[in-house]
Amino acid sequence: MRTIAIINLKGGVAKTTSSINIAYILTTRGYRVLLVDNDKQGDCSRGLNRRTSDGDGIDRIMTDRHPDMDHLIHKTDYEGLDIITANLGLLTANMEVTMDRVRPQQNRIKKALQQVADQYDFCVVDNAPDINISVINALTAANDVLIPVEVDDNTLEGMNELLEQIQEVKEELNSDLQNVKCFVSKFQKFNEAHKQGAEIIREQYPTMHTLIRASAVVARSTFARTPVALHSPRSAAAEDYEKLVTEYLDMIGGVQDGEI
C-alpha cells in the first residue's frame, strides 16, 4: 500500500475535494483505496456521507494502543473505496497524545495502517490546515505528499514552513517519504494573474504539470456529496483530476491500471 498525504497550512485550497476525487479516481483505475479523514472538521467524511458526531474513527488510532481496524474502517458507496472517518473527537485525541510521555507519538497512524497494508493499493490522507500531532503522524506514514495551492494574494503563505516541516519529518521519522509536489487548484485559465501566479509556483517549488481548473460543478458535487469525477465527469475539474491521477501514477513509476 502506498500512502499519499494531502496537505496545506492554508484552508480553502481544495484539500478535501482533491482527496476525495484522487481516491475515487484511483478506484476507477482498478485500485483498492483507503481514504483517511485526518481533520477534526470531518469534511471528507461528510463528503462521502459517513460523518457522525460521536462515532469512532481516526481518534481511536491516535489514542488506542491496539486500534481495531475492522471496526474503524467503513465501506463507502463506491466499490473499492473505504474510509476512516473523523469528527471533533480528534481534537481531544490529539491533546491526549501530546501529553502521553510513555508511547511514541509520531508513528501511530503508520503502525495502524501497516495492519491493513495488504488490503489496499493506496491510502489517501486528507489533513487539517495545521501541523498538529495527527498531521505529523500522517507525514510519518506517507510515501508521497501532494500540496494543493490556490493562486491568490497569499498563495505561498506558510509554504516554506510547511516544506521545512516535511523535510524534518523525512530526515527524522520517515525515510520512505519519496515525493513532495505542489499542484495548482481552482485555476482560472483566462485570468492573467493566475497564469503568472502558476508560473511563480512552478519556478519556486516542485510542482505537478496538471492544473485543476476552477469549476462551478465542484460546489454542486460537494452539496450532492458525490465526487466531481462521478457527478460531472465531463467538467473541467473532473477532467483535470483524471489527468492529475495519471500524472501521479506516472511519477511513482508508470504503473498500469490495477497494478502496483
Side-chain angles (χ1 to χ4, degrees):
M1 182 178 74
R2 193 174 186 102
T3 299
I4 311 164
I6 312 292
I7 186 172
N8 193 317
L9 296 183
K10 289 186 61 180
V13 296
K15 288 189 300 296
T16 297
T17 296
S18 298
S19 297
I20 289 174
N21 280 280
I22 289 170
Y24 171 75
I25 291 169
L26 284 169
T27 67
T28 68
R29 309 286 180 93
Y31 298 109
R32 302 163 299 168
V33 182
L34 176 62
L35 182 58
V36 177
D37 191 342
N38 194 32
D39 185 345
K40 66 181 183 297
Q41 296 184 57
D43 289 342
C44 201
S45 306
R46 184 185 295 107
L48 291 176
N49 286 305
R50 293 298 182 270
R51 188 181 188 277
T52 63
S53 60
D54 56 0
D56 291 335
I58 188 68
D59 56 310
R60 304 317 310 171
I61 288 177
M62 293 300 296
T63 57
D64 291 359
R65 185 176 294 274
H66 301 291
D68 183 353
M69 298 300 282
D70 289 337
H71 171 67
L72 298 177
I73 294 175
H74 303 279
K75 299 291 183 183
T76 69
D77 296 331
Y78 311 107
E79 184 177 357
L81 180 58
D82 295 344
I83 188 170
I84 297 175
T85 62
N87 54 40
L88 286 173
L90 181 57
L91 177 62
T92 303
N94 280 342
M95 294 173 61
E96 182 177 330
V97 172
T98 57
M99 292 186 292
D100 185 349
R101 304 304 179 190
V102 178
R103 294 171 54 207
Q105 298 179 357
Q106 300 97 337
N107 66 349
R108 300 186 184 190
I109 290 179
K110 182 175 184 177
K111 290 177 66 176
L113 292 179
Q114 287 173 343
Q115 296 183 41
V116 296
D118 61 342
Q119 300 177 32
Y120 301 96
D121 300 303
F122 289 97
C123 175
V124 178
V125 186
D126 180 36
N127 290 283
D130 194 2
I131 291 292
N132 56 37
I133 190 60
S134 61
V135 173
I136 295 294
N137 266 258
L139 294 174
T140 302
N143 301 106
D144 309 296
V145 177
L146 298 180
I147 307 171
V149 180
E150 181 183 3
V151 179
D152 61 20
D153 290 343
N154 302 308
T155 291
L156 303 180
E157 182 179 354
M159 182 65 73
N160 290 333
E161 291 82 356
L162 174 59
L163 292 176
E164 288 173 5
Q165 183 66 64
I166 293 170
Q167 183 63 29
E168 182 175 336
V169 169
K170 180 177 181 178
E171 292 176 358
E172 301 295 334
L173 300 168
N174 183 12
S175 59
D176 294 326
L177 181 54
Q178 297 180 20
N179 300 293
V180 180
K181 292 275 192 174
C182 302
F183 66 91
V184 175
S185 63
K186 301 183 180 181
F187 180 69
Q188 299 175 21
K189 62 182 298 184
F190 299 112
N191 186 320
E192 286 301 320
H194 273 229
K195 292 180 181 179
Q196 294 173 13
E199 285 304 314
I200 291 172
I201 293 168
R202 285 173 169 163
E203 289 171 1
Q204 296 190 23
Y205 302 102
T207 304
M208 306 287 277
H209 293 292
T210 304
L211 302 166
I212 308 299
R213 287 169 287 177
S215 176
V217 301
V218 172
R220 292 199 292 270
S221 71
T222 300
F223 280 110
R225 298 185 180 180
T226 306
V228 68
L230 176 64
H231 183 269
S232 302
R234 296 184 180 180
S235 66
E239 292 178 354
D240 293 341
Y241 275 117
E242 292 280 359
K243 292 177 183 177
L244 182 70
V245 170
T246 297
E247 183 180 355
Y248 167 74
L249 292 174
D250 288 342
M251 179 182 72
I252 65 173
V255 296
Q256 300 299 310
D257 287 1
E259 298 179 2
I260 187 171

